[in-house]
Every structure is written in C-alpha cells, then in structure tokens.
Amino acid sequence: MRTETDFNSGWLFALNLEGDCAGIGFDDSSWQTVTLPHDWSTEYAPRQDAPTGGGGGFATAGVGWYRKRFSLTDVGAEERVSLRFDGVYMDATIYCNGKRVGWHGYGYGSVTVDLTDSLVFEENVVAVRVDNSHQPNSRWYSGSGIYRRVTLVRTGQVHMEPWGVRCCANGIYPTRNTTSLQIRALIRNDSGSPVHAGVIHRLLDGEGQCVCTSGASVWLEPGEASDSMTRPNVASPRLWTVEDPYLYTLVSTVVVDGEPVDEVTSRVGIRTAAFDCDRGFLLNGERVKIKGMCLHQDGGITGAAFRPEVWRRRLGLLRNMGCNGIRCAHNPPDPQFLDLCDEMGFLVMDEIFDEWMLSKNKTDNYYSQAFAYGSSRYFERYAEEELTTMLRRDFNHPSVILWSIGNEIPEQSSLDGVKLLKFLQDICHREDASRMVTSACDNIAAVEDIRTLREFENALDVVGYNYVGRWRERAETFYDEDRHEFPSRRMIGSENPSVGGRRGDYSGRGFFGHYADATLQHEALWRYTVSRDFVAGDYLWTGIDYLGETRWPARGAACGPIDTAGFPKDAYWYFKSIWNKDEITLHLLPHWNWRGQEGQFVEVVCYTNCERVSLYINDRLVGTKGFECPRFGAVNAWNEGFGRFRTTNDLHLVWDVPYEPGTLRAEGWMNGQVVAVETVETTGRAVSVEAAAEREKLRVGELVHIELSFTDERGRPVPDAEPEVRCEIAGPARLVGMDSGDLTDLSLYSSPQRKALAGRLLALVEATGCGEVAVTFSAEGMREKTVDFFAE
C-alpha cells in the first residue's frame, strides 16, 4: 500500500559551486543545513547590479546544489519509490546516488521522479542541481531553490498515477435533492504481467460517514496506464459555496485480485461553476459577483518559500475585507495554497504561463535586444506536459473555477496566436469538461500593432480583460463596445487596477497619487461592474504588495491594500466598505499628528458603508455627508427615495478640515441610528513597545506572527512612530525575519534589527524545539516588551 512521507528536513545546500556535486562520496561536510521549503534568494540583501534586475526584485540568483542522505532498508522487490517536488525554481536536475533520474525546467510546475532503479539498501544520496543563473527570467520575483514541499512516495507495482483521481459534479438536481458525480482514476501497471485491476471510491462527509460508493474495473498490460470512470449519486449534498466552503473526503482504493494495493485520499467539494454571457459567473446555478484580487507567490519575509501559516493569515485578511476571489498570477500556485482557498471559500483563476513562445523583457515590456530567459524556452517541447500536470494536480480543488492559459501573451496580436491558444485550450477541454478557459488579454482595443486579434478573443471560452479602461474612450465606457458587438461573449476582468501606495504615506508624492483620490479609478470601474450582470467580476492588481516589478532603490511593488508584512493600508477599509456587507465599516484617514501645521487644511477621508457620516473636530460638527452604491431607482412611485442622504457620487467621503490638535470623531448612521463611531487622536511621542503574538502555543517547525506597535504615555498607538527595533530570542526558536512593509528598506529580512513603518512592525518566529520561548523587542528610549509562547 501507498505511503507518503515528508522529505523536507536534513538537506544540505551550497551556492555557486563548480563541478559535479551529485556523487555519493562527494564531501558536503561544509555545506549549510536547510529545511525545505527553501528560497536562497532571501538570504541575501537586494543588490542594484543583480542580474535579476528590478523585475526580479534585485535578488541573488545563481546555481544552487542540494543534497540529502537517507536510508530505505525495507524496500520490497515489488515496490516503486519516487519523489514528488511541488516546485523547484528553476532548471532542476535530480540525481540519486550519482545517477541522473529526472529534470524539470519550468520553475512553477510540479514533477514526480522515479528513484526505484537507482536505490541501494545502504545509505542513499539525492542531489538536486538548481540553475537560476540565466537572468532575467520571471515576472516577477521568482525566488531560487527547492521552494515548495518534497514528498517521498512508495507504492506497489500497480498504483494510481500522480494526481490520477479527478472528481467533479456531473450535475446538481435541486428538485430531487441530489447530485451526480463523475470520478476518473488513472491507474498504472508497472509489473511485468497483465492484470485485472479495479478502483473503489468512497465519499465521506465532514463527520467521516460514507455517503456513496462506486467502483470500476480496468485491464492493464505491462507498463500501461488506463483511465476509469464512475458516476455515483449523492443524496442531500451539502454544496461548496463561498459562504459555506464544505469539503468531503474521497477515498480511492486500487484493487488487484480482490486485494487492495494502493489508496489515495482527496479532498473535494460538490459544486458547479459556469460563466454566462448575460448572468456573469454562476456558482451552483446562482449568480455570484467575483470580488477578486491577483496575488503573486512570494510571502514577503519568507520569499517564495511557501509557508501555510503566512498565507492563512494573508488570506484571512482578504476574506475579512470582502474579497471572494484569487487569481494566481502568473503561474501555478503551491498546492497547499489551493487547499487554503478550498477551506476559506475563494473563487480561483488558476494560471499556467506568463509567456508562450514570445519572450518578454521582464522589466520594460515587451521586447529588447538582450535575451530574456522565461518559460518560452520550454514551451515548444514541454507546454502540453506542464499544462496537463497542472490540470490534473489542481482538478479536485473546488475553489478553482477557471483555467487561465496565459497572461498578457504577446501572441494575442500574432499570426500564430490563435493556433497556440486553441492548442492549449483543447488540452484543457480534453482534461476537464467541467471548467471554462480564459487568457488575460491586456491589449483589447490597443493601438494597431499590438492590438489583440478579434479571432484570438473570440476563440476563448471566457474573455479575460486586463485594464479594460486603459484605451481611449474605454476609460469611460469599459465593456460597452464589446457587449454591443459580441452579445454572446462571456467577460471577466482578469486584471484591473487596485488601490496601492506606501502604508501611512499622506504626502501625495507616490506613484499612486494623493490619498484623497487614490480610490477614484477603481470606484468608476466598480460602479460599472456591480451594476452589470454580464460582467462576471474582477481580479484586481493586486491584493498584497509583492517583491519584484520595481526600480532601485526598492525591492517590490506597493500595488495592494495590504503590504508585504500583512498590515492593512487605508485602502483595505475602502474595499471592505464596498465588498463586506456583513460588517459595518467606518474608517478615517489620515492620522492627526501634524505638529507645526496648525491652521492648514487637511483632507479627511472616510471609507464607510453607513448611509451617512457626521464628522466632528474636538466635538464641533464639521459636516454630514453620504453616498449610495449601487443606486436603485423607484419601484412603485416616481417620488420614492427623496429621503436618501447623498452628497457625492464617489464611494468615499471627504472633508477639508483646518488642523488643530485634538480628536477627530466620525459617527456612522443607518436607519436614523448611530451604528458606529471612529476616532483619530493627536498622540504624544512613543514611549513603549507593544507586541502581540497570534497564539501562545505552537508545534515545532511552525511559525508565529508577532505584531508590534508603539504607544504614548496614555497607551495610545502612535501612528507615525518609526523607531528601529531589536529582537532577541531566548529558548528553542529562531527569528525568520522582520518586516514593516517598507519596500525601500533593503536590509535583510532576517536581521535582528529593523525600522518600523507608520507605527507597525511584524516579526516572524519559528519554533525549533520544545520548550518555553521568550521574544524581547526593544527600541532606544522606549520600554521594551517580551512575548512568551510554548513550543511542543
């Protein structure tokens, strides 16, 4: 029977060594000990002359070697042993006991390599050479190394193929209160004889009770793989929805001669997902507006190395903001990321390539005389293999509602573009009849030489619009022209502007302009999108700041409402006010510490979903304002609605207030009642460090987030405090890093000293053993703070 073992500890690593480091007898005694996932680029500060350039966040790349010794003394003669790599960036050559057993070029895909014929009974050595030296090669920060999990898989000779089980809803029948599933299982016979095999599927609910069973038999010649299919019914299904992301467990057992020989467990959700030209996106037949964000793979402090704790916190923030969709831009995500999306109820666009055959410059879009080394290098030979792997690997995730075969592909305006599109889309249709296909097109209605070909657009199941309002009159009309010309077209905003900027920056000098009008571009688009059913929704660029796509001296791009440390910016409450209708939002900005500017006017902004807001300065009324979105006209009589209080068509409120120290107070009204109060005070200087850990107990190897703030003598958080903080740890733990969200701070994340930004700082600590841990934070002239937790 199958066993799957964590293979992530006990690795050795070295960077930029010459020669062959794969042999059993190679001396690796001086190498660095690492635990996977590992991104070596995070171990070096950004460097202006780094060949990765601004596109790659000025990160250190190169050629890295990994080695791991392990023993398998109990391997049977009929057993198969393989390693599953969830992601290695990039150009990875895998050796076992000095013999090359596999290679994988594309850095964002997953791959399984067979070790069986290279194993010995004594100590074995796996070595992996990772070549990320050809730069630039990714948009955007890629990281370097074995940055996702590795799993040791042992099976018998007759076994399920990697990602061989694929389950989807064949149909949901409300009148009969039942659903029909379609389950496929791909089984391989690696024995020397033909076999009669079969597979039995059992679907378990959340309490572990079996709700249906099904089975199918297959005949397999030696070395042959064959698909099987069953179609069981489930009575009274609990459907997977955004509000109730319910998951079942599918247990699939391979049987030969009546005996179980392999077993695979999959988490699945029962749901249908479709796009309609008139009704937009339909989940289980019901219209759902996608309120989505694009995300890159890096986790800030941890770089590309995937840590579930980091992404659970980040996705939780997005969910609370009202976001219900994630676009995995521009490459396949870590499978664990999709697990989180399944659990938390996100609608995912799963994307395979940022380029096909035409490469991109990686910094100045699109072309240059210098070579660029992206996935186009592998496209001709490996595109079908990579896409097929992604489709099978991610098939069972109910969160995945749409496949994207490309992002801003230059072929959208090229002669062979439609042919390549159909080649990839046909693979998607072959592998998955339950989902539609899109491509994120950035040049619809562009100037002639780069304009997306109509044939390209019309070939897609769903047309993805990147920056729909970018060109000419479409800044006002958005989708109108295409809706008129192509009324049967399905449409999705695959990438449109979010609201970014540096957290706590009210100077108005940044790329995103003045804080008082930062949301206007999105407000116009949202008014359109929310009032047109035929637009499925939007994925905005981006949900969280990310590394790369930058210019010196910065390491990343501040495009989201959440910074790299996971701290919400003011724009977070803008999105929450229009997207999260379950909670009252009332948020004021900026801070009220403007010493020396007494009497000067300050624009005070409020993001709210209250009907109207009254603003006071030191208990004196400044004024009352309100807005409504989406507006709704009369139903029964022409004079309905005169009682509504509207002072603006914007989706935020603004007052010009002469600055005086004291307190700003906002009162939010609904149905004639005050339902929320928000205050912003002038504070004293910061005198104390405050720190709060998200939990007090964790397991060895887990991470804990510790959020720091700084308070004055009255215990009030000081929003403009930016001291340098030092971290010291006593006990079995290590500092993974600190981050303020300041992308111009180019120091190492792992440094024990870091400057705060706008009153906040994050520390990420990992438990390395069992016992009590004390983490102390200190800053010059302030009272220090110690956080205690227990690792077990």
Side-chain angles (χ1 to χ4, degrees):
M1 291 289 285
R2 172 183 299 257
T3 61
E4 297 193 1
T5 307
D6 182 301
F7 205 68
N8 295 310
S9 61
W11 288 83
L12 300 174
F13 171 74
L15 183 62
N16 293 334
L17 288 186
E18 299 290 339
D20 183 1
C21 304
I24 296 178
F26 182 85
D27 183 7
D28 54 18
S29 58
S30 63
W31 287 21
Q32 172 189 355
T33 301
V34 298
T35 298
L36 306 181
H38 175 245
D39 173 7
W40 82 65
S41 292
T42 62
E43 298 173 358
Y44 301 86
R47 198 179 74 247
Q48 188 173 7
D49 62 351
T52 52
F58 302 103
T60 295
V63 177
W65 277 92
Y66 293 84
R67 288 171 57 87
K68 177 181 170 75
R69 290 178 168 82
F70 66 103
S71 297
L72 287 177
T73 58
D74 59 341
V75 176
E78 299 300 311
E79 207 171 343
R80 310 297 300 180
V81 181
S82 60
L83 282 181
R84 183 174 66 236
F85 293 84
D86 283 349
V88 184
Y89 201 89
M90 61 183 305
D91 191 359
T93 308
I94 301 108
Y95 302 86
C96 182
N97 296 324
K99 178 182 177 182
R100 174 173 161 154
V101 293
W103 174 86
H104 191 240
Y106 184 43
Y108 292 103
S110 299
V111 65
T112 300
V113 295
D114 194 327
L115 307 182
T116 307
D117 296 336
S118 303
L119 293 172
V120 295
F121 283 107
E122 299 81 22
E123 185 178 68
N124 295 275
V125 175
V126 167
V128 183
R129 182 183 187 272
V130 184
D131 187 350
N132 193 21
S133 63
H134 297 90
Q135 293 289 340
N137 63 35
S138 181
R139 296 183 341 137
W140 302 107
Y141 176 89
S142 66
S144 304
I146 308 178
Y147 67 103
R148 294 176 180 169
R149 293 177 304 179
V150 180
T151 305
L152 182 73
V153 181
R154 298 169 64 172
T155 69
Q157 296 281 20
V158 181
H159 58 90
M160 203 78 74
E161 282 276 67
W163 310 293
V165 177
R166 287 141 292 152
C167 175
C168 63
N170 190 78
I172 297 171
Y173 311 105
T175 57
R176 295 180 55 201
N177 194 20
T178 187
T179 189
S180 170
L181 301 180
Q182 177 179 286
I183 308 174
R184 296 170 64 187
L186 184 59
I187 304 168
R188 173 169 291 279
N189 175 19
D190 281 323
S191 73
S193 305
V195 295
H196 288 283
V199 59
I200 299 170
H201 303 287
R202 293 182 299 124
L203 187 70
L204 312 180
D205 64 17
E207 288 70 47
Q209 299 299 310
C210 184
V211 297
C212 74
T213 62
S214 60
S217 62
V218 291
W219 166 259
L220 296 168
E221 293 286 348
E224 182 183 53
S226 180
D227 229 345
S228 64
M229 183 183 293
T230 66
R231 190 185 154 182
N233 285 343
V234 180
S236 304
R238 184 168 168 182
L239 302 182
W240 187 93
T241 67
V242 170
E243 298 78 18
D244 180 25
Y246 188 83
L247 296 171
Y248 290 84
T249 300
L250 180 63
V251 181
S252 303
T253 306
V254 179
V255 177
V256 174
D257 295 330
E259 295 296 323
V261 296
D262 194 13
E263 190 167 273
V264 172
T265 299
S266 313
R267 291 198 315 175
V268 299
I270 298 176
R271 62 103 184 98
T272 60
F275 289 80
D276 183 81
C277 63
D278 295 319
R279 301 179 64 200
F281 173 65
L282 305 176
L283 183 66
N284 304 320
E286 300 293 328
R287 190 172 66 247
V288 176
K289 189 70 72 174
I290 297 172
K291 299 173 288 189
M293 289 289 182
C294 302
L295 292 179
H296 260 294
Q297 66 164 1
D298 78 82
I301 292 172
T302 55
F306 186 86
R307 299 301 298 261
E309 307 97 313
V310 170
W311 281 102
R312 185 178 292 278
R313 173 175 175 261
R314 289 175 155 214
L315 290 174
L317 285 165
L318 288 171
R319 203 73 181 88
N320 180 260
M321 190 180 75
C323 173
N324 66 7
I326 301 294
R327 174 180 169 225
C328 300
H330 303 122
N331 313 98
D334 190 296
Q336 292 176 281
F337 179 87
L338 295 179
D339 289 341
L340 293 173
C341 291
D342 292 342
E343 295 171 14
M344 302 174 79
F346 286 99
L347 305 170
V348 175
M349 179 192 296
D350 202 348
E351 196 158 75
I352 181 66
F353 295 126
D354 188 43
E355 56 188 33
W356 295 346
M357 296 189 72
L358 291 174
S359 63
K360 299 177 183 176
N361 179 261
K362 309 302 187 286
T363 301
D364 299 316
N365 291 355
Y366 282 117
Y367 310 108
S368 73
Q369 187 172 337
F371 286 150
Y373 301 92
S375 58
S376 59
R377 289 191 292 165
Y378 310 112
F379 185 86
E380 180 68 17
R381 292 182 62 189
Y382 297 105
E384 180 170 4
E385 178 182 333
E386 292 293 347
L387 179 54
T388 301
T389 295
M390 184 191 84
L391 296 170
R392 294 181 180 179
R393 188 198 72 174
D394 299 346
F395 190 103
N396 287 333
H397 291 282
S399 58
V400 176
I401 60 165
L402 186 64
W403 303 118
S404 172
I405 53 178
N407 169 67
E408 299 183 351
I409 298 299
E411 284 91 340
Q412 64 191 287
S413 59
S414 300
L415 286 174
D416 283 346
V418 177
K419 179 175 70 174
L420 292 173
L421 181 156
K422 290 181 177 178
F423 163 68
L424 296 171
Q425 187 166 257
D426 285 348
I427 295 170
C428 295
H429 292 164
R430 179 193 73 196
E431 293 292 327
D432 183 4
S434 71
R435 295 179 178 93
M436 294 182 183
V437 180
T438 191
S439 184
C441 303
D442 62 330
N443 285 326
I444 294 176
V447 293
E448 240 178 40
D449 56 325
I450 61 171
R451 183 179 299 162
T452 309
L453 298 175
R454 286 300 195 192
E455 295 83 359
F456 191 96
E457 300 169 29
N458 292 335
L460 289 164
D461 295 340
V462 182
V463 180
Y465 287 77
N466 280 22
Y467 305 97
V468 63
R470 173 175 284 173
W471 298 100
R472 298 175 302 280
E473 67 279 357
R474 294 199 179 205
E476 189 71 36
T477 61
F478 300 115
Y479 301 90
D480 280 353
E481 288 84 355
D482 289 351
R483 173 64 174 173
H484 175 76
E485 187 173 356
F486 306 105
S488 61
R489 174 176 290 186
R490 307 177 188 96
M491 301 177 178
I492 179 74
S494 45
E495 182 175 319
N496 277 314
S498 181
V499 185
R502 177 184 169 101
R503 181 173 55 81
D505 180 7
Y506 304 111
S507 67
R509 294 189 297 268
F511 175 81
F512 291 91
H514 195 267
Y515 67 88
D517 54 30
T519 60
L520 286 176
Q521 187 175 14
H522 180 263
E523 289 178 20
L525 177 65
W526 178 245
R527 281 191 172 281
Y528 185 103
T529 301
V530 75
S531 58
R532 271 78 168 179
D533 289 345
F534 64 85
V535 182
D538 258 318
Y539 293 98
L540 305 181
W541 192 265
T542 56
I544 302 174
D545 294 352
Y546 54 97
L547 304 180
E549 194 177 17
T550 188
R551 299 187 184 277
W552 192 264
R555 71 199 311 161
C559 292
I562 300 172
D563 66 22
T564 53
F567 292 133
K569 307 175 190 178
D570 291 306
Y572 180 91
W573 283 273
Y574 159 68
F575 284 112
K576 186 172 182 178
S577 72
I578 62 171
W579 283 356
N580 185 343
K581 301 304 182 184
D582 296 328
E583 297 181 23
I584 294 173
T585 299
L586 184 65
H587 178 76
L588 286 179
L589 63 138
H591 60 68
W592 208 238
N593 288 354
W594 300 102
R595 299 171 188 85
Q597 299 184 39
E598 285 78 5
Q600 297 184 28
F601 281 93
V602 177
E603 289 182 279
V604 176
V605 178
C606 178
Y607 298 136
T608 185
N609 53 10
C610 295
E611 293 172 354
R612 56 190 172 96
V613 174
S614 298
L615 181 71
Y616 298 82
I617 174 69
N618 292 327
D619 294 326
R620 301 192 308 274
L621 179 65
V622 177
T624 299
K625 297 189 177 186
F627 66 85
E628 183 185 22
C629 179
R631 295 197 303 272
F632 199 74
V635 176
N636 298 305
W638 66 270
N639 57 353
E640 288 180 8
F642 283 124
R644 295 169 184 163
F645 191 90
R646 291 192 291 260
T647 63
T648 179
N649 282 324
D650 295 333
L651 304 187
H652 67 284
L653 308 175
V654 182
W655 296 264
D656 292 325
V657 182
Y659 175 67
E660 60 181 72
T663 301
L664 285 172
R665 186 178 84 255
E667 295 180 349
W669 294 74
M670 296 185 75
N671 299 318
Q673 301 290 324
V674 174
V675 295
V677 177
E678 170 82 353
T679 60
V680 177
E681 295 184 74
T682 305
T683 67
R685 70 176 186 88
V687 297
S688 296
V689 179
E690 302 296 332
E694 59 190 340
R695 58 188 188 278
E696 297 179 351
K697 290 185 179 181
L698 62 156
R699 294 192 296 269
V700 174
E702 283 187 334
L703 301 178
V704 61
H705 295 86
I706 304 174
E707 296 187 8
L708 280 66
S709 59
F710 312 94
T711 56
D712 66 7
E713 285 290 3
R714 293 172 55 186
R716 298 173 300 184
V718 180
D720 55 347
E722 297 187 347
E724 184 172 85
V725 177
R726 181 170 184 81
C727 175
E728 297 180 355
I729 297 179
R734 72 177 184 96
L735 177 68
V736 177
M738 292 193 289
D739 183 18
S740 67
D742 181 2
L743 292 166
T744 65
D745 185 342
L746 302 179
S747 58
L748 273 173
Y749 283 128
S750 58
S751 170
Q753 294 184 184
R754 197 170 193 88
K755 187 179 179 183
L757 174 68
R760 306 296 298 273
L761 186 66
L762 175 76
L764 195 59
V765 175
E766 181 180 42
T768 57
C770 296
E772 297 282 348
V773 176
V775 187
T776 301
F777 300 97
S778 59
E780 186 175 355
M782 296 189 190
R783 291 186 286 270
E784 66 182 27
K785 179 71 173 182
T786 298
V787 173
D788 300 310
F789 63 86
F790 184 77
E792 55 188 10

